[in-house]
Amino acid sequence: MRSPRLAALELRRFGRGKLPRAALVALLVLPLLYGALYLWSFWDPYGRLDRIPVALVNDDKGATADGKRIAAGADITAKLRASAVFAWHEVSAQEARAGLEDGRYYLSLTMPADFSRRIASSSGDSPAASALQVRTNDANNYIVGQISRTVFSEVRTAASTKTSRTFLDRIFVSF
């Protein structure tokens, strides 16, 4: 017997029972299902960022510079809450840490207690750099960590632009 004829006989024998047919269907459908789910999950990662829960911690105490009250943490918090980039949840530092560990939050953005004071120091003799603290837990979701790096680079740019503008305004006003 030739090999094509043997293959045809084997396929005919394989299709006689219900269990071999079900196995053949499973062998065809499962990879298709897996591929479809994989494509669906990564189709538009930036399209649904407003559903990603992010802990927002504002520990900023505020500061006074040139007789004006500066609350940079509150300003940034209000702007972030108004934007539809993430689902922002204002929480304490302990809640953010616990939520990041147990998976309630994918990211944590913290404005330290001396955030406004450091921004206000730009008009003084010893300026200090202020820093926002971003924490991610890649064990929860690696892709969200990558997306957050992109989004927070924009947040950092916006915050640094605002502080630079404030710094330059103070310099020019002092002249």
Side-chain angles (χ1 to χ4, degrees), residues 135-156:
R135 290 189 181 96
T136 62
N137 186 354
D138 286 342
N140 289 337
N141 193 330
Y142 178 75
I143 302 256
V144 171
Q146 294 299 320
I147 291 171
S148 70
R149 287 178 187 87
T150 304
V151 171
F152 280 118
S153 69
E154 294 175 19
V155 170
R156 181 179 59 223

Side-chain angles (χ1 to χ4, degrees), residues 5-6 13 18-19 46 60 62 68 87 92-93 96 101 103 107 118 120 122 137 139 149 152-153 160-161 165-166 174:
R5 194 166 183 206
L6 280 174
R13 188 180 67 82
K18 289 185 179 182
L19 190 58
Y46 292 98
D60 185 28
K68 287 186 176 180
S92 67
E101 287 176 8
L107 308 163
R118 287 177 174 261
S122 64
N137 186 354
R149 287 178 187 87
F152 280 118
S153 69
S160 66
T161 302
R165 187 173 301 136
T166 305
S174 66

Side-chain angles (χ1 to χ4, degrees), residues 43-64:
W43 191 259
D44 185 16
Y46 292 98
R48 295 189 180 124
L49 289 179
D50 59 334
R51 296 181 185 175
I52 296 175
V54 177
L56 181 60
V57 180
N58 183 11
D59 288 338
D60 185 28
K61 304 288 186 220
T64 306

Side-chain angles (χ1 to χ4, degrees), residues 2 8 12-13 19 24-25 29 33 39 41-42 44 69 85 104 120 129 133 138-139 146-147 149 151 155 158 166:
R2 297 195 170 204
R12 227 180 295 142
R13 188 180 67 82
L19 190 58
L24 185 62
V25 168
V29 170
L33 183 64
L39 285 175
S41 67
F42 292 110
D44 185 16
R69 180 79 179 147
V85 175
R104 276 181 294 156
Q133 300 167 353
D138 286 342
Q146 294 299 320
I147 291 171
R149 287 178 187 87
V151 171
V155 170
T166 305

Side-chain angles (χ1 to χ4, degrees), residues 23-25 36-37 40 69 72-73 89 105 119 126 128 143 151-152 170:
L24 185 62
V25 168
L37 285 173
W40 175 77
R69 180 79 179 147
H89 299 277
Y105 305 118
I119 290 173
S126 58
I143 302 256
V151 171
F152 280 118
R170 289 211 179 101

